Each structure stands twice: as C-alpha cells, then as structure tokens.
Amino acid sequence: MNIVHAFLNRARSHPHLAAVTCSGRTLSFADLAARSQALAAALSQHSQLTAGSRVVICMENRAAFFETLFASWIAGLCAVPVNAKLHPKEVRQIVGDCAAALVFTSDYLLGGLQPVLADLAQPAPLVSVDDDAYQAMLRHAPMDCMDMQPDDLAWLFYTSGTTGVPKGAMLTHRNLLGMSLHYGADIDHVMAGDTMLHLAPLSHGAGQYSLPHIFNGGHQVIEKSFTPDLLLEGLQRYPRVSLFAAPTMITRALRAAEGLSDAGGNLQTLVYGGAPMYVSDLLKTLDVFGPRLVQIYGQGESPMTITQLSRQDHQGSGDAAHLARLASCGIARSAVQVRVVDDDGRDLPTGQPGEIITRSDTRMLGYWNNPKATASAIREGWLWTGDIGSLDELGYLTLRDRSKDMIIRGGSNIYPREIEEVLLRHPAVAEVSVIGAPSADLGEEPVAFVVLKKDMTVTAEELDSLCLDNLARFKRPREYFFPEDLPKNNYGKILKTTLRQQLNPKGTQ
Ligand code: AMP
C-alpha cells in the first residue's frame, strides 16, 4: 500500500486531464506521472538514498512540489516538506534533525541555504529544481511504484512544540490515506476537473488537502502566495473551486469583496481552520460566499482531521443556538474519536473544559527521533493535542484556549520561546517575554516585553536586526516594550496572561 497509487491510478484513468497549473504552465496527469516516475528512478539510483531516507522539499509554491513529493513516495522515501519562508538557519535545524539525504529547493532559495547547510555533520546534497541537474533527473526511464507498508513513513511534518524546538510528526501512508478518505466522507466528493486553488503554503495544510483532491482528478492551480485579489479572481476564472484558507486570509478577502455582486463565483467549498474564526467574521463570510463553508480542526499530529463544522451546521436563523454552533469547531470526523479529559485522562462532563484527546487512523506514529515527546503526546493510543476545549451534549467541540502560548499570525504558528531565545542572546537583555497582540489583519502578531540589564541599553532596531539574522521575517516582533520588570507568580514564572491583559485590557482577543 503506497499512498501515491491513488494518484497513479488517476493518471491512468484520466491521462489528459489538467493536474497542475502554475505560472501559466499546465501539466496533465500523464505528464505529472511521467515526470514523477522518472525523478523517482533518479532518486532510487542516488548513492545516498536508501528505503525510508528523508528528502527535504523546501521551495515556494510551484508544480515541482508535486513532482518531488510523488517521486519520493514512488521511490519509497519519506518526504519532508518545509515552509519556504523559514530562515535558512531554521531549515538547517530541520535538515539536521531528520538527517536528510537530499534537499530539493529552488534557485530563489539556493543561495541562502547553501552556506548554512554546508557544515552539517551529515551534509545533504542540494538540488535546485531550476537547475540542469534536475532536468537530467527527469530524463531517467520511469520506475514502477515501490510497495510500502501502512506504517511506513510518508511525510515528516515539522511542527513546533511548547519548547519551541521543531519536532517532526511522523505521518505514515496509513495516516495520509485516512486523511484523504475523511475528506471524501465529510467534506466533499471531488469530481474530475474540479479546481483546487492554492494560495497558502503547500508544505502545510493546503498541500495535505491537495492529496484527496488530486487523487480524484482535481486540478491544482498554484499561486506563489496569497492576495485577496488572487482569491477572488480564481473564484471567477476556474470551475468548481475549492480552497483551504486560514481565517485571516478570509477576512482580508471579505474586505476586498465589498461592493462585488457575486464574489463567491464558482466557489464549491471553502475549507478554513488552523486558527480561531470569530463568529462576526463567519457571519459576514456566509453573507458574501454563501453556504459553502466547512471548518476543520486538526493539527500536524493528526493532519487536517479531528473535527469539522459542516456546511449544514453553518446554516441557521442566527439564534443563540446557531451562534454557539458557529463558535464551535463542530463534531468528530467520521471515523475519529474525540474526548475531553482531565490531567489523568478521565472524561469530563459536558461543558467542562479540559484537554482534547483524539484517536483515529490519521494519528501520527510519533515524533521523529524523540521518544520522550512521543510518550507524552501519545498515551494508550490517544493523541493529547495540547488544546483546551469542551464538548456539548450533542458532541460539538468548542476550543477554549490554546493551552500553549502559541501565536497564530495569519494562519502561521509562531512559538514565543523561539523568539525569546534569540532576544536573550543580546548582552543587554536580562529577561524577555513574547506574546501575541491582537491584529486586525493577521489575527495576532508577536510583541516583545524586554527587561534590560542594569545600566545597559538597546534599541528596538537592534533587537529587530538580531531577529532578522536568526528567524523567519514573519516571526519578528511588531513592537517592543521595555518595562522595569515582568509580572511573575510565586514560582517565579512569567505571567503571560497578565501581559496580555496589560496590552489588551478589554480582552477583545
Ligand atoms: P498545526 O499543527 O500547525 O496545524 O497547528 C495546529 C493547532 O492550530 C491546533 O492544535 C489548534 O491549536 C489550532 N487550530 C487548528 N484548527 C483550529 C480551528 N478550527 N479553530 C481554532 N484553532 C485551531
């Protein structure tokens, strides 16, 4: 059983259908299959690659993402898609952690990655998909797909833990098949020729949800990044369009849609999730795009699949029950179990908040090379999500809080600790705490509270350039505050809740 069979089957039955379009160029299913199988043959002859080797895919959104992903699976390797917006030093951390045997990238990123990856203990060759070497790989005679076991690794999904150190969630062929079958069961029956519009990074949820879509003959239309206009134009231009969007992308599109008579155009399904969607925004979205919304709640460790708020659940009279439903993230997906429990794993009564735990075929195998984190996340088969929520009497789950102090900026997760560690490297910084400040455009943005050492000074500009040297741009704090000290509890722990209240006394976020 190899997840990529689902694609190869479709390439056989519908060879001439459009599979991927990017920058005005379209590959048919037959083209994409031929290129992936040739590339797989080249990989299988590569001296550094053996069954299960990790292949990092770090590139902007483009068609080669699918070629390299499918080729890795055909050749029996494990793909490690990495967000192209990460700082090269962050990419290095991932490449080193998974002991990657090869890194596929683009000319755009190559110059930044080459010097930082060069001195890894186990250096991984870099191949730019814009290079002649890649073209040469595509000229190999196509190979047949390797047989895999359901628990073989397919996708190592790097997520950040509470500690801020990225952990690789090991997703197997079974997990991705489970995720794909759940898409068909709960969200949509995709038909050949349907469109999936990609405006979010393919290394994350959008790329994962492209799988059920492409397996059913869907056409992946790839844009390099999100703008509200690209979203609205795509809905007019292509047939039966589905897309996965973070809530902040939707609210930005709503503003751009003001005054348009049929902004929804050919929208089939707008799947949103990954961060809270506020009810007032959801009501506006329903007004503008119609009853074509599905909310999902998932996490890298159970990809895109824990609960869903269906199309029907979005409809209602606007009474209190309907609004409460819109504030929830729906019910457990078809073959998924969801419970809310106390610290000892005992079920909590209806309405009482506790940790959300889940069990299904989409639950990851564990964290790569990290048995301690695995043992804490997976207990007796259940995945402990780290999210706090409560269930109502009908089984609708409401997320109460992110138990971790994660900041969600425009759908991208930022872990404060990563930023704090960088800021603490400055000799003038004594203490630091980073929290999420409400942002109209992006949901949240990081801001930093910095306590200076006695008689020392530093400017916000200096700290900003320290962050730029070490972190992805989108993670740098929007603002710096320099208080005399930080609020702490009796154990000396910094009270982030107090900082949040200071920043936002009305608690609108
Ligand atoms: P990631 O692993 O990067 O996909 O992030 C997963 C986290 O995003 C979850 O553990 C939740 O905290 C949050 N999240 C995912 N879906 C939703 C949703 N529908 N509503 C609110 N938060 C969500």
Side-chain angles (χ1 to χ4, degrees):
M1 178 240 189
N2 185 329
I3 184 75
V4 79
H5 271 135
F7 160 69
L8 295 172
N9 290 343
R10 198 54 63 222
R12 195 168 169 195
S13 64
H14 293 73
H16 305 302
L17 265 186
V20 186
T21 295
C22 185
S23 307
R25 182 171 174 231
T26 297
L27 291 177
S28 68
F29 271 78
D31 294 334
L32 182 58
R35 290 169 72 92
S36 306
Q37 286 178 284
L39 194 56
L43 291 175
S44 69
Q45 288 165 27
H46 202 286
S47 59
Q48 297 203 19
L49 296 168
T50 52
S53 289
R54 274 75 53 214
V55 174
V56 166
I57 302 173
C58 183
M59 61 185 76
E60 334 70 272
N61 273 5
R62 51 192 296 170
F65 174 84
F66 288 105
E67 293 169 3
T68 49
L69 182 71
F70 292 163
S72 301
W73 292 340
I74 293 167
L77 308 168
C78 171
V80 190
V82 173
N83 190 340
K85 286 192 198 149
L86 291 188
H87 191 283
K89 288 180 186 166
E90 296 171 298
V91 178
R92 181 186 194 277
Q93 209 281 328
I94 293 173
V95 172
D97 186 66
C98 73
L102 188 80
V103 177
F104 279 118
T105 188
S106 62
D107 273 1
Y108 179 64
L109 297 174
L110 190 67
L113 290 178
Q114 234 158 7
V116 284
L117 297 186
D119 64 340
L120 275 172
Q122 187 185 323
L126 274 156
V127 176
S128 163
V129 296
D130 299 306
D131 200 5
D132 290 346
Y134 186 72
Q135 293 306 319
M137 291 172 99
L138 292 173
R139 286 194 289 273
H140 276 66
M143 74 174 270
D144 287 340
C145 184
M146 297 283 289
D147 261 339
M148 306 300 287
Q149 295 302 311
D151 283 338
D152 284 339
L153 296 193
W155 185 316
L156 205 48
F157 180 96
Y158 271 86
T159 173
S160 293
T162 37
T163 60
V165 179
K167 287 180 291 201
M170 294 190 285
L171 303 180
T172 63
H173 287 260
R174 184 204 306 276
N175 294 154
L176 297 183
L177 181 65
M179 178 199 74
S180 302
L181 294 177
H182 272 102
Y183 188 93
D186 301 328
I187 296 180
D188 241 340
H189 180 63
V190 180
M191 294 195 289
D194 285 1
T195 311
M196 186 155 194
L197 185 61
H198 292 286
L199 299 154
L202 288 168
S203 55
H204 213 89
Q208 293 181 330
Y209 259 5
S210 67
L211 298 180
H213 209 267
I214 205 163
F215 294 165
N216 286 292
H219 176 198
Q220 312 306 298
V221 174
I222 302 174
E223 300 290 355
K224 293 250 184 291
S225 59
F226 169 79
T227 69
D229 289 343
L230 279 174
L231 191 158
L232 296 172
E233 279 160 30
L235 297 182
Q236 303 297 326
R237 182 162 167 202
Y238 299 100
R240 284 175 53 94
V241 184
S242 294
L243 71 150
F244 174 69
T248 47
M249 285 162 66
I250 300 176
T251 45
R252 286 176 65 191
L254 284 180
R255 269 177 254 149
E258 267 169 35
L260 298 180
S261 60
D262 177 26
N266 301 323
L267 176 65
Q268 165 71 12
T269 307
L270 174 50
V271 184
Y272 65 94
M277 174 77 145
Y278 300 105
V279 173
S280 55
D281 290 333
L282 195 44
L283 290 169
K284 276 186 232 151
T285 313
L286 283 165
D287 257 359
V288 173
F289 293 120
R292 295 179 275 192
L293 308 181
V294 177
Q295 183 189 168
I296 57 136
Y297 159 55
Q299 56 176 205
E301 291 84 346
S302 182
M304 309 298 273
T305 316
I306 299 176
T307 67
Q308 68 142 348
L309 192 70
S310 69
R311 275 184 184 66
Q312 291 83 349
D313 282 331
H314 280 82
Q315 292 171 41
S317 60
D319 62 6
H322 178 220
L323 296 183
R325 185 154 294 180
L326 292 181
S328 82
C329 53
I331 60 170
R333 302 288 293 275
S334 288
V336 174
Q337 286 174 279
V338 175
R339 291 163 56 204
V340 169
V341 298
D342 65 14
D343 290 347
D344 298 319
R346 284 184 298 249
D347 286 289
L348 288 167
T350 298
Q352 200 166 313
E355 183 153 354
I356 301 163
I357 64 172
T358 179
R359 186 165 70 172
S360 72
D361 268 357
T362 60
R363 194 219 69 209
M364 67 166 179
L365 206 57
Y367 291 114
W368 173 262
N369 214 6
N370 197 338
K372 199 165 156 230
T374 302
S376 135
I378 301 176
R379 295 175 233 165
E380 291 165 7
W382 292 83
L383 171 71
W384 289 60
T385 62
D387 289 319
I388 304 297
S390 62
L391 287 165
D392 73 6
E393 61 285 358
L394 299 176
Y396 283 80
L397 179 72
T398 300
L399 285 185
R400 295 292 161 129
D401 200 359
R402 281 158 281 155
S403 65
K404 306 151 192 172
D405 289 308
M406 185 172 84
I407 300 164
I408 304 182
R409 179 188 183 275
S412 297
N413 296 346
I414 302 176
Y415 289 86
R417 172 97 180 251
E418 294 177 86
I419 307 170
E420 290 162 0
E421 278 174 4
V422 168
L423 292 173
L424 281 167
R425 286 183 208 160
H426 195 284
V429 173
E431 276 187 325
V432 62
S433 184
V434 172
I435 61 166
S439 151
D441 269 342
L442 295 161
E444 283 182 301
E445 281 195 272
V447 299
F449 290 78
V450 179
V451 178
L452 296 180
K453 288 183 188 154
K454 204 163 178 295
D455 299 326
M456 294 193 78
T457 54
V458 68
T459 61
E461 286 72 17
E462 277 174 77
L463 294 176
D464 191 42
S465 61
L466 180 65
C467 288
L468 279 173
D469 281 341
N470 291 283
L471 294 166
R473 269 191 100 73
F474 72 88
K475 296 182 184 171
R476 60 207 253 260
R478 180 189 71 188
E479 213 173 341
Y480 287 88
F481 300 95
F482 295 96
E484 299 261 318
D485 51 23
L486 294 172
K488 302 205 182 88
N489 69 11
N490 290 338
Y491 301 103
K493 278 182 141 196
I494 296 168
L495 292 168
K496 293 203 175 201
T497 39
T498 310
L499 289 174
R500 276 192 279 265
Q501 277 157 9
Q502 285 174 6
L503 204 61
N504 186 26
K506 293 197 195 119
T508 47
Q509 149 75 8

